[in-house]
Amino acid sequence: MKLPPQAKRVFKGVIFDVYQWDQEMFDGTTEVFEALRRSNGADVIAVVDGKILITHDEQPARNAVVCLPGGRLNTDEDPQVGAARELAEETGYTSDDWELLSEENTYSKIDWTLYTFIARNAKLTQEPHLDAGERIKASLISFDEFVEKVRDKEFRIPQGLRHILWEALFDANKKAELKKKLGL
Amino acid sequence: MKLPPQAKRVFKGVIFDVYQWDQEMFDGTTEVFEALRRSNGADVIAVVDGKILITHDEQPARNAVVCLPGGRLNTDEDPQVGAARELAEETGYTSDDWELLSEENTYSKIDWTLYTFIARNAKLTQEPHLDAGERIKASLISFDEFVEKVRDKEFRIPQGLRHILWEALFDANKKAELKKKLGL
């Protein structure tokens, strides 16, 4: 959701800021409504030699998850620039053929936009730069494996991309469309 | 996610409480980690004369959404008791044949459990009791329409249930299994 313009910040956290506002109800009374803002994020579908790059991502205080390269955007950072930065930092891969696949801000009571980018023809051009809170291993899977992977609940991807992959799994035309979009 | 035991509350909001803790990183340094807790929720698949009850739910400061009956559990409220309370308040329907279909706490950095219950053989036994922040209209759809409705991104249901519906749409055996579970 987008925060309404009258929302005021009542708490500034490390990741989450809390906002509140007076909301008129249907009967004319007023209640305090609350919602959050967190830094936007970007995920990347990087295509490497006809395959898709996925990451095994371990962080302190969390089980390892399988996901796509990506992460939090810096304040006012252009989404594509941030996506390319995260891809390079986490995996060492870079690309000069980018396209936005989906953008979503659908969480209930959280103003949080997630971008999913395609990075075609990605190449390993540098060493990954992991910070002290990251242990990341990259691996490659085929396009069919990537689409099928939506059935794995533990595959941590944005809901909008999940929808696209389910549609591709369900409908051969949508699958062909996605494949073409990835340059495959 | 579940909050770690050492997490301390640093902000108490209307809906969200913010927790922080010192987290040791992989290189031995320490950073402040942050996560939220919000009241758990319950959604209900109520079966009425062989059909599924869905709601058109309008709230102040939000577009109307199509969803299942349900809502926030009260503190320490038994999930099934809360699910039955929300179903009755929002729609006037009650049931004496309940089963838990799924339970999930999968959001990144939010300790928030969502329960999805089945309420078989539900009957209209009372008037709905809506509060000042609710405008809710109930309607009935067929089982096939319910499964197909997962393709509608705007259908606001828990991710775990979404997964179950996609599997049912994709796989005839899973669909038959779900249908049987709903008593259809």
Side-chain angles (χ1 to χ4, degrees), chain A residues 13-16 23 25-27 34 36 60-61 107 109-110 132-133 135 151 153 159 163 166-167 169-170, chain B residues 13-16 23 25-27 34 36 60-61 107 110 132-133 135 151 153 159 163 166-167 169-170:
Chain A
V14 178
I15 292 175
F16 294 99
Q23 178 66 50
M25 308 304 276
F26 292 129
D27 64 356
E34 187 174 85
L36 306 169
Y107 282 84
K109 301 184 193 304
I110 309 182
R135 271 182 190 153
R151 300 184 74 176
K153 278 189 199 179
Q159 286 184 50
H163 196 91
W166 273 116
E167 287 285 2
L169 192 63
F170 184 70
Chain B
V14 178
I15 292 175
F16 294 98
Q23 179 66 49
M25 308 304 276
F26 292 129
D27 64 356
E34 187 174 86
L36 306 169
Y107 283 84
I110 308 181
R135 270 183 189 153
R151 301 184 75 175
K153 279 189 199 178
Q159 286 183 50
H163 196 90
W166 272 117
E167 287 284 1
L169 192 64
F170 184 70

Side-chain angles (χ1 to χ4, degrees), chain B:
Chain B
M1 66 165 288
K2 283 280 177 194
L3 284 175
Q6 72 273 28
K8 288 207 169 65
R9 194 175 68 199
V10 294
F11 178 81
K12 184 172 168 49
V14 178
I15 292 175
F16 294 98
D17 294 341
V18 183
Y19 287 76
Q20 294 180 344
W21 67 96
D22 289 329
Q23 179 66 49
E24 189 178 336
M25 308 304 276
F26 292 129
D27 64 356
T29 59
T30 297
E31 287 184 20
V32 175
F33 267 39
E34 187 174 86
L36 306 169
R37 179 170 280 161
R38 66 181 286 188
S39 298
N40 296 333
D43 278 29
V44 182
I45 305 172
V47 183
V48 178
D49 294 333
K51 295 198 156 191
I52 312 292
L53 198 65
I54 59 170
T55 51
H56 304 252
D57 185 344
E58 200 184 330
Q59 292 180 10
R62 194 191 73 184
N63 290 335
V65 297
V66 177
C67 54
L68 293 171
R72 250 179 269 167
L73 300 177
N74 296 326
T75 310
D76 297 329
E77 187 176 35
D78 173 80
Q80 187 182 310
V81 169
R85 178 184 52 69
E86 285 286 347
L87 175 65
E89 284 176 6
E90 290 190 348
T91 69
Y93 281 85
T94 57
S95 164
D96 53 11
D97 188 1
W98 289 82
E99 186 180 338
L100 181 65
L101 177 66
S102 69
E103 176 184 339
E104 54 189 289
N105 187 340
T106 55
Y107 283 84
S108 161
K109 301 184 193 302
I110 308 181
D111 190 348
W112 186 33
T113 301
L114 292 175
Y115 302 89
T116 302
F117 284 94
I118 298 167
R120 299 184 197 92
N121 199 23
K123 294 192 186 313
L124 189 62
T125 60
Q126 60 188 70
E127 285 292 310
H129 280 279
L130 300 180
D131 71 33
E134 291 178 318
R135 270 183 189 153
I136 294 174
K137 274 179 281 187
S139 59
L140 294 168
I141 59 175
S142 71
F143 174 72
D144 283 351
E145 286 168 330
F146 176 56
V147 172
E148 184 74 29
K149 201 148 180 62
V150 73
R151 301 184 75 175
D152 175 1
K153 279 189 199 178
E154 307 296 320
F155 187 38
R156 180 84 65 102
I157 52 174
Q159 286 183 50
L161 175 59
R162 191 167 279 281
H163 196 90
I164 290 168
L165 292 182
W166 272 117
E167 287 284 1
L169 192 64
F170 184 70
D171 178 335
N173 288 331
K174 301 253 174 157
K175 187 171 174 177
E177 210 175 276
L178 177 62
K179 194 168 182 175
K180 196 177 162 198
K181 215 163 201 174
L182 296 182
L184 295 171

Side-chain angles (χ1 to χ4, degrees), chain A residues 7 34 44 62 65 80 107 123 125 134 147:
Chain A
E34 187 174 85
V44 181
R62 193 190 74 183
V65 296
Q80 187 182 311
Y107 282 84
K123 294 193 185 313
T125 60
E134 291 178 318
V147 172

